[in-house]
Amino acid sequence: MPRSIWKGSISFGLVQIPVALYPAEEPDELHFTQLDRRTMAPIRYERVNRETGEPVSWDDIVRGYPYEKDEYVVLSDEDLRRANVEATQTVDILDFVDASEIDPMYYDKPYFLAPASQNGKKRSPVTAYVLLREALRKTGKVGIAKVVIRTREHIAAVRPHGRGLVLNLLRFAHELRSEEELDLPEMDAKGKGLGKRELEMAERLVAEMATAWEPEKYKDEYRDDVMKLIEKKVKAGRTTAPAEPVEEERHRRATGTVDLIALLKKSLGQKGGKAANDDDDAKNGAKDGRRAPEEGGKSRVRKAETPKRKGGSSRRAA
């Protein structure tokens, strides 16, 4: 079970719900160690005093805010807690809004909110927790709250998720760039070189590729391929590098003028596993051949298993 980041409460109106905050994601990233190419020894990074060059231990490091050049205000963890005791331990719900009104671009980082005991009580008051969860579920609303995690205040959405509540950190409006900064085409498709036929074929291709959302079927294939390369190097020996794999042909899109009709017809034809003309499209448009064949008629199937990581600890959010 992951460790909680903090324990506090959800607050809305006069209701206080004791909760604990847990990370809801576990990034599966590749981590490399930097080595000295001459000896293959790991490179060590030290915390040193900029003026003396001497190493500094963690016990001698404090947090300072630069208010002027080379002038700092030192703040301890206790100082930060005293700055706003209530805010640092409270998910303070300010409003309830329709979940559909929140643009996905605002969503940032998820956390689980779980009932927590308070004041030494063995059993947590889950009634209020369930009350909020079901009220949100039945109304289709999410709670918009402010919460302090570590040393930063966030805006967040409290929403139901299965048997629990999830706290999704949101980006503030000023943190999102405006699309007006970019040279984007107007919303009206007319006059942009698009005809009715192109749009109909594009809509048909989207409909043929439509499926239910199954996040488990999407894998980090790049990470799997890197791990396979690492395993191959290990089997070959430390100083013996295996032969470079033959690079697969990459399909690049032309940057000049393209024939949208031809591309859409080709895409629709590949759905059935063969080229097709317009009549064939009309007959076979509903067929869904999802996999493109390789030479010899065999389909490419990736079955690379990612080695399980030891420990399984969750990373804390900063």
Side-chain angles (χ1 to χ4, degrees), residues 162-230:
R163 294 185 297 141
L165 290 171
V166 166
L167 178 87
N168 255 114
L169 296 188
L170 303 176
R171 297 178 177 91
F172 285 100
H174 69 268
E175 294 179 313
L176 291 175
R177 288 183 171 178
S178 170
E179 63 181 28
E180 300 301 326
E181 300 177 21
L182 305 174
D183 184 16
L184 301 176
E186 297 296 329
M187 291 292 291
D188 186 6
K190 296 180 180 179
K192 303 300 179 184
L194 293 177
K196 182 179 180 181
R197 189 181 181 197
E198 288 94 337
L199 287 173
E200 288 177 349
M201 294 184 70
E203 292 171 3
R204 177 179 164 189
L205 178 59
V206 171
E208 287 190 4
M209 295 181 67
T211 184
W213 168 237
E214 299 176 13
E216 296 80 8
K217 79 176 185 179
Y218 302 100
K219 308 297 182 181
D220 186 351
E221 296 183 353
Y222 177 77
R223 184 185 189 282
D224 291 344
D225 290 342
V226 172
M227 290 304 302
K228 286 165 60 179
L229 178 60
I230 291 173

Side-chain angles (χ1 to χ4, degrees), residues 203-271:
E203 292 171 3
R204 177 179 164 189
L205 178 59
V206 171
E208 287 190 4
M209 295 181 67
T211 184
W213 168 237
E214 299 176 13
E216 296 80 8
K217 79 176 185 179
Y218 302 100
K219 308 297 182 181
D220 186 351
E221 296 183 353
Y222 177 77
R223 184 185 189 282
D224 291 344
D225 290 342
V226 172
M227 290 304 302
K228 286 165 60 179
L229 178 60
I230 291 173
E231 292 169 0
K232 184 181 292 186
K233 285 182 175 287
V234 170
K235 291 180 180 179
R238 180 180 299 180
T239 59
T240 303
E244 292 292 332
V246 178
E247 184 178 1
E248 295 183 359
E249 179 183 358
R250 297 180 181 274
H251 300 283
R252 302 182 184 276
R253 295 181 180 176
T255 56
T257 303
V258 296
D259 185 346
L260 287 177
I261 288 289
L263 291 176
L264 289 168
K265 287 174 64 178
K266 185 175 181 180
S267 298
L268 287 167
Q270 288 178 344
K271 296 298 293 176

Side-chain angles (χ1 to χ4, degrees), residues 72 79 84 92 98 110 116 123 126 183 222 251 306-307:
Y72 302 87
D79 289 330
N84 192 331
D92 189 13
D98 287 339
R123 297 180 59 86
V126 297
D183 184 16
Y222 177 77
H251 300 283
T306 303

